[in-house]
């Protein structure tokens, strides 16, 4: 089954550039801000779905944030990984399988701070919504 990329125009283009260049274009999205490609399995469709997300390394794992720009609901990719925590990750040219988990407690607080250092807009997104924005750890399998 072929992967369905984000329907958001600029994200779709970003993913295409990332894939076509083997990560040379798109891995560093902005100066000092790096992205990975996350592929989840659609909880309704069963189709692989791919999006690009800002990340930070966390030991051997990677951390991403399910901000959805501060929207009232979680992004589809997050809902998908809650339903099926086995995901595919691409960081630059490297691809691997990971297990996704939502950080909580002290770990979430530490990782929230880490992610806000690279993308300060996350704090503003949190102020826009009543939901706690999930911080997700992608542990290599």
């Amino acid at each position: 089954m072929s992967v369905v990329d984000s329907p958001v125009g600029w994200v779709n283009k970003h993913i295409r550039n990332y894939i076509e260049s083997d990560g040379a274009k798109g891995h560093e999205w902005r100066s000092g801000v790096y992205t990975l490609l996350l592929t989840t399995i659609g909880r309704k469709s069963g189709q692989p779905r791919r999006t690009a997300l800002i990340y930070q390394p966390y030991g051997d794992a990677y951390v991403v944030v399910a901000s959805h720009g501060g929207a009232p609901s979680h992004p589809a990719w997050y809902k998908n990984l809650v339903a099926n925590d086995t995901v595919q990750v691409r960081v630059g040219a490297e691809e691997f399988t990971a297990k996704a988990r939502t950080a909580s407690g002290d770990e979430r607080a530490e990782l929230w701070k880490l992610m806000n250092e690279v993308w300060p807009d996350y704090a503003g997104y949190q102020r826009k919504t009543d939901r706690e924005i999930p911080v997700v750890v992608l542990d290599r399998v």
Side-chain angles (χ1 to χ4, degrees), residues 120 122-130 133:
Y122 288 136
Y125 300 158
Q126 184 61 76
R127 286 190 295 273
K128 287 171 55 176
T129 185
D130 291 333
I133 293 177

Side-chain angles (χ1 to χ4, degrees), residues 74-105:
H74 296 309
W77 66 262
Y78 179 74
K79 294 174 186 176
N80 290 342
L81 69 76
V82 168
N84 180 350
D85 65 357
T86 300
V87 298
Q88 294 299 311
V89 179
R90 181 173 184 145
V91 178
E94 182 186 11
E95 295 182 75
F96 57 91
T97 300
K99 285 286 186 182
R101 63 182 176 82
T102 303
S104 60

Side-chain angles (χ1 to χ4, degrees), residues 30-92:
R30 300 210 176 140
S31 181
V33 180
Y34 294 87
T35 62
L36 57 72
L37 302 182
L38 176 70
T39 304
T40 60
I41 300 300
R43 65 198 178 286
K44 296 176 186 173
S45 69
Q47 284 192 297
R49 305 224 174 239
R50 182 168 47 202
T51 194
L53 299 166
I54 295 169
Y55 78 90
Q56 284 283 67
Y58 179 53
D60 290 334
Y62 295 91
V63 180
V64 294
V65 175
S67 68
H68 205 201
S73 63
H74 296 309
W77 66 262
Y78 179 74
K79 294 174 186 176
N80 290 342
L81 69 76
V82 168
N84 180 350
D85 65 357
T86 300
V87 298
Q88 294 299 311
V89 179
R90 181 173 184 145
V91 178

